[in-house]
């Protein structure tokens, strides 16, 4: 049973906002949602994480629904360098392991 | 501050050979992880450690061994290399002062078994 579900691919025009959804309907009340991205098979790069409130940092914004069953990562002004695979990650069964899934391949189009 | 350093970056092994993938971190993190990533797939956890002397299996531990004698180092050992272990291996570390801190990843080791 997948802990997270993401669309396999998305396109976004350069300069526009990229909105990447994630479904995590089985998340428990005290588990955080983490977002990472991976460029050209490099090591995953941390983007942002949150529990229940919306979060924003210099890279992105994270919107978590009130029931916490889904979230959306927003890249406000996508650039070509944002082309990557984006992973929504949750902790497995409140333990020490994290579920990565297969992510969303985002292509930013000039 | 180098973060998480993995060596080697690339390696080709013959079937049945053994090798150790090295991982070291300079952030004094207690939690360390080893993942493998097959083409087009997400990361799968092999082993993890919550501190020196403590290790535990992840989702795909068969064919691998780990040790954690120091806080800084978390080597991954392949005893009898098999073609199914051809993959990209990532090491990560995490501060455990607060349970929600993110993992920091190394740049990976690309391993081919022929």
């Amino acid at each position: 049973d997948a802990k997270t579900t993401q669309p396999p691919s998305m396109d976004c025009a350069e300069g526009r906002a990229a909105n990447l959804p994630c479904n995590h309907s089985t998340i428990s009340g005290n588990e955080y949602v983490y977002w990472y991205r991976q460029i050209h098979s490099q090591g995953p790069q941390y983007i942002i994480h949150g529990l229940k409130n919306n979060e924003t940092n210099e890279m992105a914004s994270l919107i978590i629904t009130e029931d916490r069953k889904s979230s959306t990562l927003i890249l406000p002004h996508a650039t070509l360098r944002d082309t990557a695979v984006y992973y929504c990650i949750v902790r497995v069964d409140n333990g020490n392991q994290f579920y990565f899934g297969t992510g969303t391949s985002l292509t930013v189009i000039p | 501050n180098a973060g998480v350093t993995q060596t080697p970056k690339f390696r080709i092994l013959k079937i049945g050979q053994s090798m150790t993938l090295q991982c070291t971190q300079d952030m004094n993190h207690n939690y360390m992880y080893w993942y493998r990533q097959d083409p087009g797939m997400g990361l799968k956890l092999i082993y993890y450690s919550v501190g020196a002397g403590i290790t535990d299996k992840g989702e795909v531990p068969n064919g691998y061994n780990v040790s954690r004698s120091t806080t800084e180092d978390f080597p991954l050992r392949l005893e009898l290399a098999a073609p199914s272990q051809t993959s990209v291996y990532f090491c990560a570390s995490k501060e455990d002062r607060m349970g929600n801190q993110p993992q920091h990843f190394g740049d990976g080791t690309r391993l081919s078994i022929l």
Side-chain angles (χ1 to χ4, degrees):
Chain A
D1 56 335
K3 301 293 183 181
T4 62
T5 304
Q6 299 178 253
S9 63
M10 294 181 65
D11 293 338
C12 177
E14 188 178 17
R16 303 297 295 269
N19 296 279
L20 292 93
C22 178
N23 181 297
H24 34 79
S25 58
T26 60
I27 195 170
S28 67
N30 60 348
E31 282 184 17
Y32 282 73
V33 178
Y34 301 82
W35 283 82
Y36 285 76
R37 72 181 183 184
Q38 191 174 26
I39 300 173
H40 297 311
S41 296
Q42 296 174 11
Q45 176 190 22
Y46 165 75
I47 302 173
I48 198 168
H49 71 286
L51 180 61
K52 58 178 69 175
N53 298 318
N54 298 338
E55 302 286 346
T56 296
N57 63 19
E58 65 278 5
M59 291 182 68
S61 294
L62 175 60
I63 309 297
I64 302 173
T65 58
E66 190 170 347
D67 63 9
R68 299 202 343 106
K69 293 183 183 299
S70 64
S71 61
T72 300
L73 178 75
I74 301 173
L75 308 178
H77 305 286
T79 71
L80 299 179
R81 287 177 294 181
D82 292 323
T83 292
V85 178
Y86 288 77
Y87 294 97
C88 160
I89 297 159
V90 297
R91 192 187 299 265
V92 177
D93 298 328
N94 267 327
N96 292 309
Q97 304 186 37
F98 293 83
Y99 177 81
F100 267 77
T102 54
T104 295
S105 178
L106 175 69
T107 301
V108 179
I109 302 169
Chain B
N1 189 341
V4 178
T5 302
Q6 294 184 236
T7 57
K9 294 187 184 303
F10 305 92
R11 184 72 184 268
I12 298 174
L13 283 182
K14 294 181 179 179
I15 296 171
Q17 286 185 320
S18 62
M19 77 163 292
T20 299
L21 283 67
Q22 302 291 345
C23 175
T24 187
Q25 51 92 9
D26 62 358
M27 298 172 282
N28 201 33
H29 288 170
N30 279 329
Y31 283 60
M32 295 188 73
Y33 305 82
W34 273 108
Y35 294 89
R36 61 175 286 173
Q37 185 176 33
D38 298 330
M41 305 297 289
L43 279 68
K44 291 187 182 296
L45 183 65
I46 305 171
Y47 272 96
Y48 67 96
S49 170
V50 302
I54 306 170
T55 62
D56 208 346
K57 296 178 180 179
E59 183 182 359
V60 290
N62 291 343
Y64 307 94
N65 282 299
V66 293
S67 59
R68 185 90 182 275
S69 57
T70 67
T71 298
E72 295 78 17
D73 301 307
F74 189 39
L76 177 72
R77 178 85 177 162
L78 282 70
E79 293 292 352
L80 290 171
S84 61
Q85 294 176 306
T86 293
S87 192
V88 182
Y89 292 83
F90 291 102
C91 179
S93 72
K94 184 174 82 72
E95 180 182 11
D96 65 343
R97 181 172 57 83
M98 291 177 65
N100 62 323
Q101 292 304 300
Q103 298 174 69
H104 300 260
F105 283 83
D107 290 332
T109 293
R110 284 147 184 80
L111 180 62
S112 294
I113 315 296
L114 303 177

